[in-house]
């Protein structure tokens, strides 16, 4: 073909070569990015993108659709003509034509991508979800999934379950799956209301939403039948209802007509699962070998088929089981007592009783004789052997719980205001349910209802305590007076004992208490110092050791006895003054019966059989004054009639001072006319 049209091929090639610069020039006359991001929820006339154009180049905007113009041109800027929503449409293609003055045109396409903002809250499908779960569901069983939806498609939503319940929980914070968290019990909780909340934490806004989940717990068949009445016990989370059994009475050789009456009520059992309440069937398990009784399998009523001919007790065991789920069953016992027919009902001894009661816990007293307790007794003539006393009779007050009758004696159990009550006493024979009634009038007179003493009692108690206190004070005063009166004698004994203990400290010292008379102390010549001495006192008296200074008494007692004991010659020529007294004691442990001596000894040294009298002859002041007027001489002194004066000697024996002192002063019969006897107990 090139051989045929060589000029045509060259022409075409030349044209293409000439068009290449013009095409390049058109493309470089305007430029724009191929795609741009523009956020949603914008404002109108917001700039989407700026187009770069060359001089003498115009832009033309071609709408995507004739009826839709989301963008417009403002110069070389592409602007938004409406508010965009990401959830409605998230991208728009924009076609722009660039036209030069030479007539060349170029088309550019810009893809506008709408940006997604978190402007939508999460939403649940329902405001309330109703779900059911069996009480026998295991822990960890899924109750349901209740996720919320968010048009913004956030990466994560967070869930919380309120109120917090131990029975249910969320699988995790980012999961809306609810699980069983504990063992459920239909009898305790039948419905649970849960509130599920979702949280959107994506910027720039935080949104929440809630929904209610109503959980209905279904009863499971996990309990056996329960006999009514029964006592419920919770054992490790399982409820057990224990039946105490039933009792009945039949008469010997008599057939009970109709349904056998039982206590505490007719035989009846219910399904332990009240939500299921399956029908119960009854049957005898044991005890009816003689076929005396028959039981209705549907109602549980027991009837007699023939009379009982033996006294005693019949024990029947009854089985109650569910009709469908027969492995759920329970048993109970019926104790039937066969008794002799009662011929006489109980009878009160009085038609009306009257009593008075004072306080809670006290026994009511007979109103006619308030010293005798009120006793309410009903007799039964069927018990003639026991004087009509039926041990099976029980007493109660009809319609009142504030009173109790124990062994026929009335007690009040609660505080009542002071009033007179008209009551009815009921006596019931528990063996055959025979009853008797009597009227009772009780006068309530409470004493110290608060349990405290009244004003009168407190006054009496205070007076008694005051009298006792006064008696104690009087006794204490008398004892104090007696002790003060005998204080001097006891003080003397104490000081004498103290002085006596101090005498036995030096070697060779004589034991016992020693008395000296300073008027007859020996001088260096063997004589005695008379009353004319320069250091003699105006008046000398007999000074016992316990009234003399301690130091002086020790010096006297520590001297040898032969220096202290005057002899017959030492008394001759002794001088006396008017102020001196004639006291001449001699200390010795020996009893001397010589004339002219006075003897002093302890009472314990006296022979009880000797019957010696303890006598103290006080010194005669008149005789002493007369003797003081006589001149001293070296020979024995003479009295007023010219007879020689005998000297007295004082003797002490060693003894226990605590037992008392016995002192005896003896004068010869000739010289003792003026002496007086005086008994002193120390």
């Amino acid at each position: 073909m090139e051989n045929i049209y060589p000029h045509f091929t060259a022409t075409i090639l030349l044209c293409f070569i000439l068009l290449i610069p013009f095409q390049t020039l058109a493309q470089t006359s305007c430029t724009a990015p191929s795609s741009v991001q523009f956020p949603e929820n914008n404002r109108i006339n917001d700039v989407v993108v700026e187009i770069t154009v060359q001089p003498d180049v115009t832009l033309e905007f071609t709408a995507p659709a004739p009826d839709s113009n989301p963008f417009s041109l403002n110069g070389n800027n592409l602007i938004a003509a409406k508010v965009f929503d990401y959830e409605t449409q998230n991208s728009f293609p924009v076609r722009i034509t660039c036209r030069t003055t030479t007539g060349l045109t170029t088309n550019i396409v810009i893809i506008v991508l709408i940006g997604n903002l978190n402007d939508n809250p999460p939403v649940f499908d329902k405001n309330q979800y109703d779900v059911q779960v069996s009480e026998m569901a295991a822990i960890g069983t899924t109750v349901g999934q209740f996720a919320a939806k968010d048009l913004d498609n956030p990466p994560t939503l967070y869930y919380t379950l309120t109120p917090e319940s131990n029975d249910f929980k969320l699988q995790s914070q980012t999961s809306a799956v609810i699980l069983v968290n504990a063992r459920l019990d239909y009898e305790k909780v039948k419905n649970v209301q849960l509130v599920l909340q979702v949280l959107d934490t994506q910027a720039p806004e935080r949104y929440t939403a809630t929904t209610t989940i109503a959980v209905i717990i279904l009863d499971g068949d996990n309990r056996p039948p329960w006999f009514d009445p029964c006592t419920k016990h919770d054992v490790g989370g399982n409820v057990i209802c224990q039946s105490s059994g039933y009792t009945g009475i039949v008469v010997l050789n008599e057939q009970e007509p109709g349904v056998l009456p039982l206590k505490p009520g007719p035989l009846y059992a219910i399904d332990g699962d009240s939500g299921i309440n399956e029908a119960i069937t009854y049957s005898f398990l044991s005890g009816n070998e003689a076929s005396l009784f028959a039981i209705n399998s549907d109602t549980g009523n027991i009837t007699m088929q023939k009379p009982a001919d033996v006294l005693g007790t019949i024990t029947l065991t009854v089985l109650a089981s569910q009709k469908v789920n027969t492995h759920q069953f329970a048993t109970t016992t019926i104790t039937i007592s066969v008794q002799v027919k009662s011929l006489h009902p109980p009878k009160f001894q009085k038609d009306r009783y009257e009593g008075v009661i004072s306080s809670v816990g006290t026994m009511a007293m007979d109103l006619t004789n308030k010293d005798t307790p009120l006793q309410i007794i009903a007799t039964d003539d069927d018990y003639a052997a026991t004087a009509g006393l039926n041990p099976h009779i029980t007493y109660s007050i009809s319609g009142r719980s504030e009173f109790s009758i124990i062994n026929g004696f009335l007690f009040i159990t609660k505080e009542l205001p002071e009033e007179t009550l008209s009551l009815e006493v009921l006596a019931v024979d528990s063996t055959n349910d025979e009853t008797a009634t009597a009227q009772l009038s009780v006068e309530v007179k409470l004493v110290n209802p608060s349990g405290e003493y009244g004003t009168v009692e407190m006054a009496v108690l205070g007076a008694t305590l005051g009298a006792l206190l006064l008696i104690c004070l009087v006794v204490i005063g008398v004892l104090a007076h007696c002790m003060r009166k005998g204080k001097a004698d006891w003080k003397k004994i104490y000081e004498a004992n103290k002085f006596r203990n101090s005498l036995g400290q030096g070697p060779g010292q004589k034991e016992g208490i020693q008395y000296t008379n300073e008027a007859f102390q020996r001088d260096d010549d063997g004589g005695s110092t008379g009353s004319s001495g320069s250091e003699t006192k105006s008046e000398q008296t007999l000074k016992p050791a316990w009234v003399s200074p301690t130091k002086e008494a020790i010096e006297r007692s520590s001297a040898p006895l032969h220096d202290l004991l005057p002899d017959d010659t030492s008394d001759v020529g002794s001088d006396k003054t008017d102020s001196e007294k004639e006291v001449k004691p001699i200390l010795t442990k020996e009893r001397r019966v010589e004339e002219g001596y006075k003897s002093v000894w302890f009472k314990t040294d006296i022979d009880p059989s000797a019957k010696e009298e303890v006598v103290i002859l006080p010194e005669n002041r008149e005789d002493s004054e007369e003797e003081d007027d006589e001149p001293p001489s070296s020979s024995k002194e003479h009295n007023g009639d010219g007879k020689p004066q005998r000297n007295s000697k004082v003797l002490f024996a060693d003894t226990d001072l605590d037992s008392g002192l016995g002192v005896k002063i003896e004068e010869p019969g000739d010289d003792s006319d003026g002496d007086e006897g005086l008994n002193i107990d120390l």
Side-chain angles (χ1 to χ4, degrees):
M1 183 174 179
E2 291 178 356
N3 295 328
I4 298 174
Y5 305 102
H7 63 279
F8 181 78
T9 303
T11 301
I12 294 175
L13 180 62
L14 179 62
C15 290
F16 275 105
I17 294 173
L18 293 175
L19 289 175
I20 290 174
F22 290 102
Q23 182 69 26
T24 303
L25 179 63
Q27 291 179 353
T28 58
S29 63
C30 60
T31 58
S34 60
S35 64
V36 293
Q37 290 280 347
F38 187 71
E40 64 176 341
N41 302 328
N42 60 290
R43 293 178 300 179
I44 298 176
N45 296 328
D46 284 348
V47 177
V48 177
V49 65
E50 182 180 0
I51 303 171
T52 303
V53 297
Q54 296 297 328
D56 300 331
V57 176
T58 59
L59 300 177
E60 295 179 0
F61 172 71
T62 303
D67 56 347
S68 175
N69 187 19
F71 302 98
S72 64
L73 286 174
N74 183 11
N76 61 340
N77 292 326
L78 180 66
I79 61 175
K82 71 171 187 178
V83 178
F84 295 96
D85 184 10
Y86 173 86
E87 288 73 26
T88 304
Q89 185 175 355
N90 55 18
S91 65
F92 294 88
V94 177
R95 184 183 296 272
I96 298 176
T97 302
C98 300
R99 188 181 300 275
T100 65
T101 56
T102 60
L104 296 177
T105 59
T106 303
N107 293 325
I108 59 175
V109 177
I110 302 173
I111 304 300
V112 179
L113 301 176
I114 305 302
N116 187 19
L117 298 179
N118 188 27
D119 59 346
N120 295 287
V123 178
F124 288 100
D125 293 339
K126 298 180 180 179
N127 291 329
Q128 177 173 326
Y129 296 87
D130 295 325
V131 295
Q132 295 179 345
V133 60
S134 173
E135 66 170 346
M136 301 179 68
I139 296 176
T141 301
T142 299
V143 177
Q145 183 173 5
F146 313 94
K149 296 179 180 180
D150 192 341
L151 297 177
D152 296 324
N153 295 322
T156 305
L157 293 176
Y158 297 93
Y159 296 90
T160 57
L161 192 63
T162 57
E164 295 182 0
S165 173
N166 292 330
D167 295 334
F168 303 95
K169 69 175 182 178
L170 287 171
Q171 189 176 42
S172 68
Q173 290 184 347
T174 59
S175 174
V177 176
I178 298 178
L179 306 176
V180 176
N181 189 45
R183 184 175 179 181
L184 305 178
D185 190 346
Y186 172 83
E187 279 69 29
K188 293 181 179 179
V189 180
K190 297 179 175 61
N191 298 279
V192 177
Q193 293 287 335
L194 302 175
V195 177
L196 183 63
Q197 184 181 47
V198 61
L199 175 64
D200 180 6
T201 60
Q202 187 178 6
E205 299 291 339
R206 292 169 62 93
Y207 296 100
T208 61
T210 59
T211 187
T212 302
I213 300 174
V215 182
I216 300 174
I217 300 175
L218 302 178
D219 196 4
D221 193 3
N222 59 344
R223 289 182 177 178
W226 289 350
F227 285 97
D228 189 28
C230 61
T231 304
K232 295 181 180 180
H233 302 279
D234 192 339
V235 181
N238 298 316
V239 179
I240 299 174
C241 201
Q242 181 182 8
S243 173
S244 59
Y246 301 83
T247 59
I249 299 172
V250 296
V251 178
L252 181 66
N253 297 325
E254 288 187 9
Q255 183 175 350
E256 182 74 24
V259 178
L260 183 66
L262 300 176
K263 291 183 179 181
L267 181 67
Y268 180 68
I270 60 174
D271 188 354
D273 300 305
S274 58
I276 299 176
N277 198 21
E278 187 175 338
I280 306 298
T281 182
Y282 304 89
S283 62
F284 283 126
L285 193 62
S286 64
N288 194 33
E289 289 77 9
S291 299
L292 294 177
F293 305 95
I295 188 170
N296 188 308
S297 60
D298 295 327
T299 63
N301 292 332
I302 298 176
T303 56
M304 288 191 71
Q305 292 183 325
K306 57 183 178 179
D309 55 0
V310 178
L311 289 173
T313 301
I314 301 174
T315 302
L316 303 174
T317 302
V318 177
L319 174 68
S321 61
Q322 297 178 188
K323 285 188 175 182
V324 178
N325 189 6
T326 56
H327 70 275
Q328 295 286 15
F329 61 88
T331 61
T332 189
T333 58
I334 301 175
T335 302
I336 298 176
S337 176
V338 181
Q339 299 179 357
V340 178
K341 184 176 182 179
S342 175
L343 301 177
H344 303 90
K347 181 177 64 176
F348 281 100
Q349 295 178 341
K350 297 180 181 180
D351 294 334
R352 181 179 179 83
Y353 293 88
E354 295 181 347
V356 59
I357 195 164
S358 59
S359 61
V360 175
T362 60
M363 188 182 302
M365 308 303 290
D366 195 336
L367 187 61
T368 58
N369 186 4
K370 296 185 179 180
D371 295 331
T372 302
L374 177 64
Q375 190 171 16
I376 303 172
I377 296 296
T379 59
D380 190 345
D381 292 341
D382 291 333
Y383 292 81
T386 58
L389 296 179
N390 184 352
H392 303 289
I393 293 179
T394 59
Y395 302 92
S396 62
I397 303 297
S398 300
R400 301 299 294 261
S401 61
E402 301 91 346
F403 297 91
S404 176
I405 300 178
I406 303 175
N407 296 329
F409 296 101
L410 179 65
F411 295 88
I412 186 173
T413 59
K414 296 181 181 179
E415 293 185 2
L416 293 175
E418 293 189 355
E419 58 180 339
T420 301
L421 301 175
S422 296
L423 308 173
E424 183 182 63
V425 184
L426 178 64
V428 179
D429 188 348
S430 59
T431 61
N432 52 28
D433 293 336
E434 293 179 337
T435 62
T437 59
Q439 298 300 315
L440 172 63
S441 177
V442 178
E443 183 179 354
V444 180
K445 289 186 177 181
L446 298 181
V447 177
N448 296 329
S450 62
E452 300 178 355
Y453 289 105
T455 305
V456 178
E457 289 81 359
M458 294 301 296
V460 173
L461 179 61
T464 304
L465 294 178
L468 292 177
L469 179 60
L470 179 61
I471 293 173
C472 292
L473 293 176
V474 172
V475 172
I476 292 173
V478 172
L479 292 177
H481 176 72
C482 295
M483 292 177 64
R484 183 180 295 276
K485 184 177 180 181
K487 183 177 181 181
D489 294 339
W490 284 105
K491 183 176 181 181
K492 290 180 180 180
I493 294 175
Y494 170 74
E495 293 178 352
N497 189 28
K498 181 177 179 182
F499 172 70
R500 177 181 175 276
N501 293 337
S502 66
L503 296 179
Q505 298 177 358
Q509 187 176 359
K510 292 291 184 178
E511 297 180 355
I513 300 176
Q514 302 180 8
Y515 283 82
T516 59
N517 194 325
E518 296 178 357
F520 293 93
Q521 288 286 359
R522 293 180 179 273
D523 54 12
D524 295 339
D525 298 335
S528 60
T529 303
S531 60
S532 60
S534 60
E535 297 179 359
T536 58
K537 299 181 180 179
S538 63
E539 183 177 357
Q540 297 291 338
T541 59
L542 183 61
K543 298 181 179 180
W546 51 78
V547 298
S548 301
T550 305
K551 181 177 180 182
E552 180 182 357
I554 294 175
E555 291 177 355
R556 294 175 184 175
S557 61
S558 61
L561 288 178
H562 60 80
D563 293 336
L564 299 176
L565 298 178
D567 53 9
D568 297 338
T569 60
S570 64
D571 298 333
V572 180
S574 61
D575 298 334
K576 291 182 173 57
T577 63
D578 293 341
S579 63
E580 290 180 339
K581 298 180 181 180
E582 184 183 12
V583 180
K584 300 176 284 296
I586 297 177
L587 303 179
T588 180
K589 287 187 177 181
E590 300 178 358
R591 299 183 184 181
R592 298 184 181 183
V593 295
E594 302 173 5
E595 294 183 357
Y597 285 92
K598 291 184 179 180
S599 300
V600 181
W601 60 85
F602 289 96
K603 186 168 64 176
T604 55
D605 293 338
I606 301 175
D607 186 6
S609 62
K611 299 182 180 180
E612 294 178 341
E613 183 180 6
V614 179
V615 180
I616 295 179
L617 297 179
E619 56 189 356
N620 195 326
R621 292 183 176 271
E622 296 178 357
D623 294 343
S624 300
E625 293 175 357
E626 294 176 358
E627 292 174 358
D628 292 341
D629 297 335
E630 296 180 1
S633 63
S634 60
S635 61
K636 294 183 179 180
E637 298 181 4
H638 293 77
N639 52 19
D641 55 1
K643 294 182 181 181
Q645 177 69 34
R646 292 182 176 87
N647 297 326
S648 301
K649 295 183 179 181
V650 182
L651 303 179
F652 279 81
D654 188 14
T655 186
D656 185 5
L657 290 180
D658 294 336
S659 62
L661 279 173
V663 181
K664 185 174 183 180
I665 302 175
E666 294 182 351
E667 291 286 345
D670 298 338
D671 300 329
S672 60
D673 295 336
D675 296 335
E676 294 179 1
L678 178 63
N679 296 332
I680 298 178
D681 292 333
L682 300 180

